[in-house]
Amino acid sequence: MELKDKRAILEEWVFSYSDTLFTWALHKVNKKEEAEDLVQETFLAAFKAYDRFKHKSSPKTWLFSILNNKIFDYFRQQKTKIQSLEETLATEITDSFFSSSGAWSNIPSSSLLEDSETELLDNPEFN
């Protein structure tokens, strides 16, 4: 199929299905900008893969299939970012308890909790 014909079909699909796809994406990710990006990526993927579209389903069904895959990818990326952040935070927290040799760090005899309790008890407004 010629590029011109493919472009015309995609324009028709954008006009016909954008709102429905956007509503679905927004429902799933709950962020307007992310939903817009996912719909845009869906149409780009459809344009690139148009020659593989076998017309066994409606264009709307095919586009929703692509969008759902994009949504799954989005959540996989978010999960990876969160896991990476959790690992970084856990490392920073545990590193504060240990010396570079792996032994417990020297902790002062009066802990921060004890100091804050003393300060609170000495505070007339708190009492």
Side-chain angles (χ1 to χ4, degrees):
M1 175 175 281
E2 281 189 42
L3 181 63
K4 184 178 177 182
D5 295 336
K6 199 161 64 167
R7 189 174 291 163
I9 290 170
L10 186 67
E11 285 177 15
E12 179 185 327
W13 288 358
V14 169
F15 181 76
S16 299
Y17 306 119
S18 290
D19 291 341
T20 309
L21 292 169
F22 173 75
T23 301
W24 179 249
L26 183 60
H27 170 72
K28 290 298 185 180
V29 299
N30 205 26
K31 295 178 184 173
K32 182 180 180 239
E33 295 79 17
E34 298 294 336
E36 289 171 345
D37 289 346
L38 289 167
V39 172
Q40 183 177 12
E41 290 173 20
T42 297
F43 284 118
L44 287 173
F47 183 76
K48 290 177 184 176
Y50 183 79
D51 294 333
R52 293 188 305 237
F53 178 48
K54 297 187 177 24
H55 301 278
K56 291 182 180 180
S57 63
S58 71
K60 182 178 178 180
T61 301
W62 188 59
L63 291 168
F64 265 95
S65 173
I66 295 169
L67 176 59
N68 283 327
N69 287 327
K70 297 292 179 188
I71 291 169
F72 290 139
D73 291 343
Y74 168 80
F75 282 117
R76 269 190 226 113
Q77 290 172 351
Q78 296 303 310
K79 181 181 175 187
T80 302
K81 288 178 187 176
I82 290 170
Q83 286 175 336
S84 176
L85 179 61
E86 287 175 345
E87 290 170 3
T88 301
L89 289 174
T91 301
E92 288 176 6
I93 291 170
T94 55
D95 286 351
S96 68
F97 293 117
F98 300 101
S99 68
S100 59
S101 65
W104 283 101
S105 295
N106 293 331
I107 300 174
S109 59
S110 62
S111 71
L112 293 173
L113 181 60
E114 290 170 351
D115 290 343
S116 64
E117 286 177 0
T118 305
E119 289 175 13
L120 284 176
L121 293 175
D122 292 337
N123 184 339
E125 289 179 23
F126 176 77
N127 288 326

